mmCIF file of all heavy atoms in Angstrom:
data_model
loop_
_atom_site.group_PDB
_atom_site.id
_atom_site.type_symbol
_atom_site.label_atom_id
_atom_site.label_comp_id
_atom_site.label_asym_id
_atom_site.label_seq_id
_atom_site.Cartn_x
_atom_site.Cartn_y
_atom_site.Cartn_z
ATOM 1 N N GLN A 332 -17.810 -41.980 192.969
ATOM 2 C CA GLN A 332 -18.457 -41.624 194.222
ATOM 3 C C GLN A 332 -19.956 -41.643 194.029
ATOM 4 O O GLN A 332 -20.498 -40.794 193.299
ATOM 5 C CB GLN A 332 -17.995 -40.258 194.734
ATOM 6 C CG GLN A 332 -18.515 -39.939 196.124
ATOM 7 C CD GLN A 332 -17.811 -38.748 196.755
ATOM 8 O OE1 GLN A 332 -17.192 -37.939 196.064
ATOM 9 N NE2 GLN A 332 -17.897 -38.639 198.058
ATOM 10 N N ALA A 333 -20.594 -42.607 194.648
ATOM 11 C CA ALA A 333 -22.043 -42.715 194.599
ATOM 12 C C ALA A 333 -22.646 -41.840 195.703
ATOM 13 O O ALA A 333 -21.962 -41.525 196.693
ATOM 14 C CB ALA A 333 -22.465 -44.169 194.793
ATOM 15 N N PRO A 334 -23.895 -41.459 195.552
ATOM 16 C CA PRO A 334 -24.535 -40.605 196.564
ATOM 17 C C PRO A 334 -24.453 -41.223 197.956
ATOM 18 O O PRO A 334 -24.792 -42.390 198.154
ATOM 19 C CB PRO A 334 -25.979 -40.510 196.078
ATOM 20 C CG PRO A 334 -25.899 -40.735 194.614
ATOM 21 C CD PRO A 334 -24.789 -41.721 194.419
ATOM 22 N N GLY A 335 -24.008 -40.427 198.895
ATOM 23 C CA GLY A 335 -23.936 -40.881 200.277
ATOM 24 C C GLY A 335 -22.789 -41.817 200.587
ATOM 25 O O GLY A 335 -22.695 -42.334 201.704
ATOM 26 N N LYS A 336 -21.909 -42.031 199.618
ATOM 27 C CA LYS A 336 -20.800 -42.958 199.833
ATOM 28 C C LYS A 336 -19.469 -42.266 199.628
ATOM 29 O O LYS A 336 -19.386 -41.197 199.031
ATOM 30 C CB LYS A 336 -20.926 -44.163 198.898
ATOM 31 C CG LYS A 336 -22.154 -45.020 199.160
ATOM 32 C CD LYS A 336 -22.136 -46.264 198.321
ATOM 33 C CE LYS A 336 -23.340 -47.149 198.624
ATOM 34 N NZ LYS A 336 -23.335 -48.402 197.817
ATOM 35 N N GLN A 337 -18.423 -42.921 200.111
ATOM 36 C CA GLN A 337 -17.091 -42.367 199.947
ATOM 37 C C GLN A 337 -16.581 -42.596 198.526
ATOM 38 O O GLN A 337 -17.015 -43.512 197.825
ATOM 39 C CB GLN A 337 -16.136 -43.023 200.948
ATOM 40 C CG GLN A 337 -16.368 -42.604 202.394
ATOM 41 C CD GLN A 337 -15.267 -43.107 203.309
ATOM 42 O OE1 GLN A 337 -14.665 -44.152 203.060
ATOM 43 N NE2 GLN A 337 -14.996 -42.363 204.360
ATOM 44 N N ARG A 338 -15.660 -41.756 198.120
ATOM 45 C CA ARG A 338 -15.030 -41.935 196.834
ATOM 46 C C ARG A 338 -14.167 -43.202 196.890
ATOM 47 O O ARG A 338 -13.438 -43.422 197.854
ATOM 48 C CB ARG A 338 -14.185 -40.712 196.500
ATOM 49 C CG ARG A 338 -13.749 -40.611 195.067
ATOM 50 C CD ARG A 338 -13.091 -39.255 194.794
ATOM 51 N NE ARG A 338 -14.008 -38.148 194.998
ATOM 52 C CZ ARG A 338 -13.722 -36.882 194.685
ATOM 53 N NH1 ARG A 338 -12.547 -36.600 194.148
ATOM 54 N NH2 ARG A 338 -14.597 -35.940 194.911
ATOM 55 N N GLU A 339 -14.260 -43.996 195.835
ATOM 56 C CA GLU A 339 -13.517 -45.256 195.835
ATOM 57 C C GLU A 339 -12.826 -45.471 194.501
ATOM 58 O O GLU A 339 -13.294 -45.018 193.452
ATOM 59 C CB GLU A 339 -14.464 -46.433 196.119
ATOM 60 C CG GLU A 339 -15.610 -46.569 195.134
ATOM 61 C CD GLU A 339 -16.576 -47.674 195.504
ATOM 62 O OE1 GLU A 339 -16.439 -48.291 196.571
ATOM 63 O OE2 GLU A 339 -17.489 -47.931 194.689
ATOM 64 N N LEU A 340 -11.728 -46.185 194.560
ATOM 65 C CA LEU A 340 -10.943 -46.463 193.367
ATOM 66 C C LEU A 340 -11.673 -47.444 192.460
ATOM 67 O O LEU A 340 -12.209 -48.454 192.927
ATOM 68 C CB LEU A 340 -9.587 -47.046 193.758
ATOM 69 C CG LEU A 340 -8.682 -47.471 192.606
ATOM 70 C CD1 LEU A 340 -8.155 -46.254 191.855
ATOM 71 C CD2 LEU A 340 -7.522 -48.314 193.122
ATOM 72 N N VAL A 341 -11.674 -47.135 191.170
ATOM 73 C CA VAL A 341 -12.198 -48.063 190.174
ATOM 74 C C VAL A 341 -11.045 -48.780 189.481
ATOM 75 O O VAL A 341 -11.004 -50.006 189.403
ATOM 76 C CB VAL A 341 -13.062 -47.324 189.131
ATOM 77 C CG1 VAL A 341 -13.529 -48.298 188.048
ATOM 78 C CG2 VAL A 341 -14.244 -46.644 189.801
ATOM 79 N N ALA A 342 -10.099 -47.994 188.989
ATOM 80 C CA ALA A 342 -8.972 -48.562 188.255
ATOM 81 C C ALA A 342 -7.822 -47.579 188.235
ATOM 82 O O ALA A 342 -8.030 -46.364 188.328
ATOM 83 C CB ALA A 342 -9.382 -48.917 186.829
ATOM 84 N N GLU A 343 -6.619 -48.120 188.104
ATOM 85 C CA GLU A 343 -5.417 -47.303 188.099
ATOM 86 C C GLU A 343 -4.482 -47.840 187.023
ATOM 87 O O GLU A 343 -4.426 -49.042 186.766
ATOM 88 C CB GLU A 343 -4.754 -47.382 189.466
ATOM 89 C CG GLU A 343 -3.518 -46.542 189.643
ATOM 90 C CD GLU A 343 -2.978 -46.649 191.050
ATOM 91 O OE1 GLU A 343 -2.378 -47.696 191.355
ATOM 92 O OE2 GLU A 343 -3.157 -45.706 191.837
ATOM 93 N N ILE A 344 -3.728 -46.919 186.401
ATOM 94 C CA ILE A 344 -2.750 -47.331 185.405
ATOM 95 C C ILE A 344 -1.436 -46.613 185.671
ATOM 96 O O ILE A 344 -1.415 -45.391 185.851
ATOM 97 C CB ILE A 344 -3.264 -47.087 183.968
ATOM 98 C CG1 ILE A 344 -2.277 -47.649 182.940
ATOM 99 C CG2 ILE A 344 -3.582 -45.621 183.717
ATOM 100 C CD1 ILE A 344 -2.881 -47.762 181.535
ATOM 101 N N GLY A 345 -0.383 -47.380 185.705
ATOM 102 C CA GLY A 345 0.912 -46.825 186.026
ATOM 103 C C GLY A 345 1.617 -46.233 184.817
ATOM 104 O O GLY A 345 1.105 -46.222 183.695
ATOM 105 N N ILE A 346 2.813 -45.749 185.075
ATOM 106 C CA ILE A 346 3.601 -45.097 184.036
ATOM 107 C C ILE A 346 3.940 -46.065 182.901
ATOM 108 O O ILE A 346 3.929 -45.704 181.724
ATOM 109 C CB ILE A 346 4.877 -44.518 184.652
ATOM 110 C CG1 ILE A 346 4.528 -43.451 185.697
ATOM 111 C CG2 ILE A 346 5.796 -43.937 183.588
ATOM 112 C CD1 ILE A 346 5.684 -43.025 186.554
ATOM 113 N N SER A 347 4.184 -47.313 183.250
ATOM 114 C CA SER A 347 4.537 -48.314 182.250
ATOM 115 C C SER A 347 3.327 -49.009 181.654
ATOM 116 O O SER A 347 3.474 -49.879 180.795
ATOM 117 C CB SER A 347 5.451 -49.370 182.883
ATOM 118 O OG SER A 347 4.760 -50.047 183.918
ATOM 119 N N GLY A 348 2.136 -48.633 182.109
ATOM 120 C CA GLY A 348 0.924 -49.259 181.605
ATOM 121 C C GLY A 348 0.377 -50.370 182.483
ATOM 122 O O GLY A 348 -0.657 -50.963 182.152
ATOM 123 N N THR A 349 1.042 -50.639 183.578
ATOM 124 C CA THR A 349 0.538 -51.646 184.513
ATOM 125 C C THR A 349 -0.787 -51.187 185.102
ATOM 126 O O THR A 349 -0.922 -50.025 185.501
ATOM 127 C CB THR A 349 1.542 -51.847 185.650
ATOM 128 O OG1 THR A 349 2.802 -52.240 185.083
ATOM 129 C CG2 THR A 349 1.070 -52.932 186.601
ATOM 130 N N THR A 350 -1.746 -52.083 185.144
ATOM 131 C CA THR A 350 -3.074 -51.716 185.608
ATOM 132 C C THR A 350 -3.429 -52.404 186.922
ATOM 133 O O THR A 350 -2.919 -53.473 187.250
ATOM 134 C CB THR A 350 -4.134 -52.073 184.565
ATOM 135 O OG1 THR A 350 -4.044 -53.466 184.254
ATOM 136 C CG2 THR A 350 -3.943 -51.260 183.298
ATOM 137 N N ASN A 351 -4.330 -51.762 187.623
ATOM 138 C CA ASN A 351 -4.829 -52.289 188.892
ATOM 139 C C ASN A 351 -6.313 -51.968 188.961
ATOM 140 O O ASN A 351 -6.710 -50.823 188.688
ATOM 141 C CB ASN A 351 -4.091 -51.643 190.065
ATOM 142 C CG ASN A 351 -4.628 -52.087 191.403
ATOM 143 O OD1 ASN A 351 -4.878 -53.265 191.614
ATOM 144 N ND2 ASN A 351 -4.822 -51.155 192.312
ATOM 145 N N TYR A 352 -7.117 -52.970 189.290
ATOM 146 C CA TYR A 352 -8.566 -52.778 189.316
ATOM 147 C C TYR A 352 -9.134 -53.132 190.677
ATOM 148 O O TYR A 352 -8.672 -54.060 191.346
ATOM 149 C CB TYR A 352 -9.238 -53.670 188.262
ATOM 150 C CG TYR A 352 -8.874 -53.321 186.844
ATOM 151 C CD1 TYR A 352 -7.863 -53.999 186.179
ATOM 152 C CD2 TYR A 352 -9.537 -52.297 186.169
ATOM 153 C CE1 TYR A 352 -7.515 -53.680 184.881
ATOM 154 C CE2 TYR A 352 -9.198 -51.970 184.865
ATOM 155 C CZ TYR A 352 -8.191 -52.658 184.227
ATOM 156 O OH TYR A 352 -7.847 -52.328 182.948
ATOM 157 N N ALA A 353 -10.175 -52.399 191.061
ATOM 158 C CA ALA A 353 -10.919 -52.781 192.247
ATOM 159 C C ALA A 353 -11.540 -54.156 192.002
ATOM 160 O O ALA A 353 -11.972 -54.460 190.883
ATOM 161 C CB ALA A 353 -12.001 -51.753 192.545
ATOM 162 N N ASP A 354 -11.575 -54.970 193.018
ATOM 163 C CA ASP A 354 -12.087 -56.334 192.867
ATOM 164 C C ASP A 354 -13.482 -56.359 192.253
ATOM 165 O O ASP A 354 -13.798 -57.204 191.419
ATOM 166 C CB ASP A 354 -12.110 -57.043 194.224
ATOM 167 C CG ASP A 354 -10.718 -57.414 194.705
ATOM 168 O OD1 ASP A 354 -9.787 -57.440 193.870
ATOM 169 O OD2 ASP A 354 -10.546 -57.654 195.906
ATOM 170 N N ALA A 355 -14.319 -55.415 192.668
ATOM 171 C CA ALA A 355 -15.707 -55.403 192.196
ATOM 172 C C ALA A 355 -15.817 -55.022 190.724
ATOM 173 O O ALA A 355 -16.865 -55.234 190.110
ATOM 174 C CB ALA A 355 -16.525 -54.440 193.043
ATOM 175 N N GLU A 356 -14.740 -54.458 190.167
ATOM 176 C CA GLU A 356 -14.784 -53.973 188.783
ATOM 177 C C GLU A 356 -14.031 -54.872 187.807
ATOM 178 O O GLU A 356 -14.160 -54.704 186.597
ATOM 179 C CB GLU A 356 -14.201 -52.562 188.712
ATOM 180 C CG GLU A 356 -14.792 -51.582 189.700
ATOM 181 C CD GLU A 356 -16.255 -51.289 189.435
ATOM 182 O OE1 GLU A 356 -16.755 -51.641 188.358
ATOM 183 O OE2 GLU A 356 -16.901 -50.699 190.334
ATOM 184 N N LYS A 357 -13.283 -55.808 188.315
ATOM 185 C CA LYS A 357 -12.474 -56.669 187.442
ATOM 186 C C LYS A 357 -13.350 -57.405 186.445
ATOM 187 O O LYS A 357 -14.375 -57.974 186.791
ATOM 188 C CB LYS A 357 -11.680 -57.667 188.281
ATOM 189 C CG LYS A 357 -10.532 -57.037 189.040
ATOM 190 C CD LYS A 357 -9.778 -58.052 189.872
ATOM 191 C CE LYS A 357 -8.635 -57.411 190.633
ATOM 192 N NZ LYS A 357 -7.923 -58.351 191.504
ATOM 193 N N GLY A 358 -12.927 -57.370 185.215
ATOM 194 C CA GLY A 358 -13.669 -58.035 184.154
ATOM 195 C C GLY A 358 -14.724 -57.176 183.497
ATOM 196 O O GLY A 358 -15.252 -57.535 182.446
ATOM 197 N N ARG A 359 -15.046 -56.061 184.091
ATOM 198 C CA ARG A 359 -16.080 -55.201 183.524
ATOM 199 C C ARG A 359 -15.546 -53.859 183.047
ATOM 200 O O ARG A 359 -16.187 -53.202 182.225
ATOM 201 C CB ARG A 359 -17.195 -54.951 184.540
ATOM 202 C CG ARG A 359 -17.992 -56.175 184.951
ATOM 203 C CD ARG A 359 -19.248 -55.780 185.694
ATOM 204 N NE ARG A 359 -18.973 -54.877 186.801
ATOM 205 C CZ ARG A 359 -19.306 -53.591 186.799
ATOM 206 N NH1 ARG A 359 -19.916 -53.064 185.766
ATOM 207 N NH2 ARG A 359 -19.015 -52.837 187.849
ATOM 208 N N VAL A 360 -14.420 -53.433 183.579
ATOM 209 C CA VAL A 360 -13.875 -52.145 183.174
ATOM 210 C C VAL A 360 -12.440 -52.324 182.684
ATOM 211 O O VAL A 360 -11.738 -53.253 183.100
ATOM 212 C CB VAL A 360 -13.918 -51.116 184.331
ATOM 213 C CG1 VAL A 360 -15.344 -50.958 184.838
ATOM 214 C CG2 VAL A 360 -12.977 -51.499 185.455
ATOM 215 N N THR A 361 -12.049 -51.410 181.814
ATOM 216 C CA THR A 361 -10.682 -51.399 181.301
ATOM 217 C C THR A 361 -10.176 -49.968 181.303
ATOM 218 O O THR A 361 -10.817 -49.086 180.728
ATOM 219 C CB THR A 361 -10.605 -51.960 179.880
ATOM 220 O OG1 THR A 361 -11.134 -53.290 179.860
ATOM 221 C CG2 THR A 361 -9.157 -51.984 179.395
ATOM 222 N N ILE A 362 -9.043 -49.758 181.929
ATOM 223 C CA ILE A 362 -8.415 -48.445 181.914
ATOM 224 C C ILE A 362 -7.275 -48.465 180.917
ATOM 225 O O ILE A 362 -6.566 -49.468 180.778
ATOM 226 C CB ILE A 362 -7.920 -48.049 183.331
ATOM 227 C CG1 ILE A 362 -7.449 -46.600 183.347
ATOM 228 C CG2 ILE A 362 -6.830 -49.001 183.824
ATOM 229 C CD1 ILE A 362 -7.134 -46.065 184.746
ATOM 230 N N SER A 363 -7.113 -47.363 180.212
ATOM 231 C CA SER A 363 -6.023 -47.256 179.254
ATOM 232 C C SER A 363 -5.583 -45.802 179.185
ATOM 233 O O SER A 363 -6.311 -44.906 179.606
ATOM 234 C CB SER A 363 -6.449 -47.759 177.871
ATOM 235 O OG SER A 363 -7.542 -47.013 177.376
#
């Protein structure tokens, strides 16, 4: 959540380890 902006998803990881990334973050962030 940046100042003055809504909270937004960066990355998510499921129970089995499946990951999902916001389009703007793909390639730059890794969730584990």
Side-chain angles (χ1 to χ4, degrees):
Q332 187 167 19
K336 296 186 178 181
Q337 289 189 330
R338 194 172 298 188
E339 58 184 5
L340 176 71
V341 176
E343 182 178 75
I344 185 165
I346 298 168
S347 63
T349 302
T350 56
N351 176 44
Y352 295 96
D354 287 342
E356 308 294 347
K357 288 179 180 177
R359 295 193 308 109
V360 303
T361 303
I362 188 172
S363 60

